[in-house]
Amino acid sequence: MSEQLRLMAVHAHPDDESSKGAATMARYVAEGHRVRVVTCTGGERGDILNPKLAHDESILADMLAYRRREMAAAAEALGIEHTWLGFVDSGLPEGDPLPPLPEGCFALEPLEVPVEALVREIRTFRPHVMTTYNEEGGYPHPDHIRTHEISVAAFHAAADPEQFPDAGPAWEVSKLYYDVGFSLDRIKAISEAMHARGLVSPFEDWLERAATRPQRTVTTRVRCEDYFDRRDEALRAHATQIDPEGFFFEVPRDIEREVWPVEQFELAEVRVPVEIPEDDLFAGLRRLSA
């Protein structure tokens, strides 16, 4: 390969990178490009969602260290680079009314603090493309919404030498995408294929909820079915969050490869000429790398 491009994916917690765009990242690594995941928090307030580990005292005693080891294993499975932004998980508040967020958490940090930290990462790595979440966070977790906010702000600030001058020389990221992992089209296609084989789809409840929500504009579909096994290995690495017998593995992989061999993205910001629809996050950049 004559050129090497750089992709940065900004995520809220360890495990988010493996459930959102992981096969695309593995594909680009295999092609010889550099891919770096920035994880904003340590995920230390996440619940243990794997019933086999729910009462493991060694995990409960130091969730942060355990999730760091999981993240390292997932990064190795995908072949990606990884860095921590260093903020504290906000947790997912539940109840009516919602309880206040814990003091000192990521979602309560003054916006300029995590923005500067991310600008520093952008100016160091110099990505051509960034991916993150939409303004709703993908789902309304306070850390996901804050991740969106800092990603958009840092996308612009990193290019402006007058903003955060101590964070390194300015760098202009060419494209910013939002992940569109669970679109209505995807869950319909997979559900119909499973029904045709006499199987029960794990998306039954999702279909009802998704049909009532505004759909995102998918601009970019990246073929990555050859890397679903890498994605699955990364998912299993996050053993506290991903039940190996649960939701993420209920769709037979041969069905997924046949009816939905892509991962989807929404182009949110762009500084180079492009043609929509795209089949490549690096579309428009292949001859512009530096």
Side-chain angles (χ1 to χ4, degrees):
M1 189 185 70
S2 60
E3 58 186 339
Q4 184 183 65
L5 293 157
R6 296 179 294 276
L7 168 66
M8 174 179 283
V10 185
H11 288 285
H13 311 106
D15 78 79
D16 288 325
E17 84 295 327
S18 296
S19 60
K20 302 168 185 67
T24 295
M25 292 192 294
R27 169 189 157 172
Y28 286 134
V29 170
E31 289 180 357
H33 303 295
R34 290 181 66 188
V35 178
R36 180 174 295 182
V37 166
V38 176
T39 306
C40 294
T41 80
E44 54 268 77
R45 287 194 170 98
D47 295 328
I48 298 179
L49 303 179
N50 183 345
K52 293 180 180 177
L53 301 178
H55 305 292
D56 188 317
E57 293 298 329
S58 66
I59 299 174
L60 296 170
D62 196 345
M63 176 70 86
L64 179 60
Y66 202 91
R67 296 205 71 184
R68 281 181 172 269
R69 291 193 292 271
E70 291 179 334
M71 183 65 238
E76 183 176 359
L78 296 172
I80 60 170
E81 304 171 33
H82 177 258
T83 190
W84 300 97
L85 211 56
F87 295 95
V88 177
D89 190 349
S90 305
L92 181 59
E94 295 179 302
D96 188 12
L98 292 173
L101 292 172
E103 185 177 350
C105 71
F106 177 50
L108 294 182
E109 289 279 356
L111 187 63
E112 65 272 14
V113 175
V115 170
E116 181 173 10
L118 184 55
V119 165
R120 190 177 302 277
E121 294 297 333
I122 291 169
R123 290 176 177 173
T124 298
F125 184 62
R126 304 199 308 167
H128 300 90
V129 173
M130 288 174 58
T131 66
T132 191
Y133 317 135
N134 62 42
E135 66 278 3
E136 298 174 345
Y139 80 108
H141 189 298
D143 286 339
H144 283 241
I145 293 170
R146 177 47 60 98
T147 297
H148 161 80
E149 293 168 349
I150 74 163
S151 297
V152 173
F155 174 86
H156 292 284
D160 183 354
E162 295 186 3
Q163 295 195 55
F164 309 111
D166 295 334
W171 175 257
E172 186 174 274
V173 183
S174 295
K175 302 170 85 175
L176 174 69
Y177 288 92
Y178 300 152
D179 174 82
V180 189
F182 291 97
S183 67
L184 183 59
D185 286 346
R186 176 180 182 239
I187 61 179
K188 275 184 175 180
I190 290 175
S191 294
E192 289 171 1
M194 291 186 71
H195 294 158
R197 294 196 187 186
L199 302 172
V200 176
S201 168
F203 296 127
E204 299 296 344
D205 293 340
W206 286 50
L207 280 169
E208 291 185 19
R209 296 195 302 269
T212 65
R213 296 174 181 168
Q215 297 301 302
R216 306 300 304 192
T217 301
V218 174
T219 61
T220 311
R221 294 174 172 84
V222 180
R223 289 205 65 150
C224 51
E225 70 271 33
D226 291 341
Y227 302 94
F228 286 167
D229 57 341
R230 299 269 191 94
R231 174 203 61 192
D232 290 350
E233 184 181 351
L235 283 167
R236 291 188 180 96
H238 291 288
T240 58
Q241 303 297 299
I242 307 294
D243 181 354
E245 298 177 3
F247 167 81
F248 281 104
F249 302 102
E250 291 181 14
V251 177
R253 290 300 177 247
D254 62 325
I255 290 180
E256 185 180 20
R257 289 186 177 93
E258 178 184 343
V259 304
W260 208 263
V262 300
E263 288 179 336
Q264 298 184 128
F265 300 86
E266 175 183 356
L267 182 58
E269 303 264 5
V270 62
R271 291 172 165 141
V272 294
V274 296
E275 294 183 7
I276 302 299
E278 303 173 315
D279 61 4
D280 179 10
L281 298 183
F282 293 133
L285 296 169
R286 293 287 184 176
R287 296 180 178 85
L288 299 176
S289 60

